[in-house]
Amino acid sequence: MNEYVIRPVRADEWAKVKELRLAALRDPAAPVAFLETLEQGEAKSDEFWQERAAGGATGPGIRQFIAEGPDGEWAGTVSVLVEAAGTTDIFDGEIEQAQAHFVGVFVRPAQRGIGLTEKLFAAALEWAWGLEEPVLARVRLFVHEQNARAGAFYRRFGFVPSGKVVPMPTDPSAKELEYVIPRPA
């Protein structure tokens, strides 16, 4: 585990951003973990991936963290989106307070269970709580009602269900459950 470096992506690493995202979309859990299909991801242009990497590296309201192995392979990722109060989220709900939203959580199957997700989340939380403006009231994420493995991890890490339930945009008959961590006192 110590051989992995947890760090933000760099703007020029778009090809690795693309490769890891496509690997995530190939995962058997992808239909309940992501709001995008493999086909949609594969159809995106290199320019899209270049912009995504640049945004995740230097954007004021986003940061993408990766777990990089000693061989340079990326083993996992999480992205943090800053949601400003008064704006609308991906579920068309109003954001009531400044908060961060964890999205795109993925660790390659061969590296699961060795603590990488915990390290990724710790780095993401440190970045979110360290923002001077806006000061974030909480961090949240959504988990599909049938993604028990992810839900169990989020609870172990300290996220608690908020009680908010929204329909999954890609399948309105399915539900996404909101989990939150309030800002430490």
Side-chain angles (χ1 to χ4, degrees):
M1 174 55 208
N2 290 335
E3 65 271 13
Y4 288 91
V5 173
I6 308 301
R7 64 171 179 82
V9 299
R10 292 186 289 267
D12 65 346
E13 295 178 312
W14 69 269
K16 283 189 169 188
V17 168
K18 176 182 178 180
E19 186 281 324
L20 189 60
R21 178 62 175 185
L22 296 180
L25 295 174
R26 285 185 193 97
D27 190 272
V32 296
F34 304 111
L35 301 179
E36 176 180 41
T37 66
L38 177 60
E39 294 75 23
Q40 290 168 325
E42 289 175 332
K44 292 182 174 158
S45 69
D46 287 350
E47 291 78 21
F48 169 87
W49 296 106
Q50 290 163 0
E51 290 174 13
R52 186 171 182 150
T58 61
I62 183 170
R63 192 67 71 236
Q64 182 179 1
F65 292 89
I66 54 100
E68 183 176 36
D71 59 358
E73 181 183 42
W74 290 4
T77 186
V78 62
S79 292
V80 185
L81 308 176
V82 175
E83 298 177 321
T87 62
T88 303
D89 67 16
I90 61 172
F91 300 107
D92 292 326
E94 185 178 338
I95 306 296
E96 297 176 7
Q97 57 194 330
Q99 61 191 10
H101 187 163
F102 285 11
V103 298
V105 178
F106 176 70
V107 172
R108 293 182 194 272
Q111 284 84 22
R112 290 180 185 157
I114 63 169
L116 288 181
T117 311
E118 289 87 343
K119 298 277 189 187
L120 286 162
F121 272 43
L125 275 176
E126 181 179 349
W127 181 81
W129 297 143
L131 290 174
E132 292 182 15
E133 189 61 36
V135 174
L136 305 177
R138 66 184 192 160
V139 172
R140 72 175 181 163
L141 53 78
F142 285 88
V143 63
H144 190 284
E145 63 187 339
Q146 294 179 0
N147 196 346
R149 180 177 55 88
F153 168 78
Y154 301 146
R155 288 187 300 277
R156 278 193 317 275
F157 192 82
F159 281 86
V160 294
S162 71
K164 181 175 183 173
V165 178
V166 297
M168 188 172 181
T170 57
D171 176 8
S173 69
K175 300 198 177 5
E176 292 276 331
L177 313 174
E178 182 185 60
Y179 283 68
V180 300
I181 290 181
R183 183 177 194 85

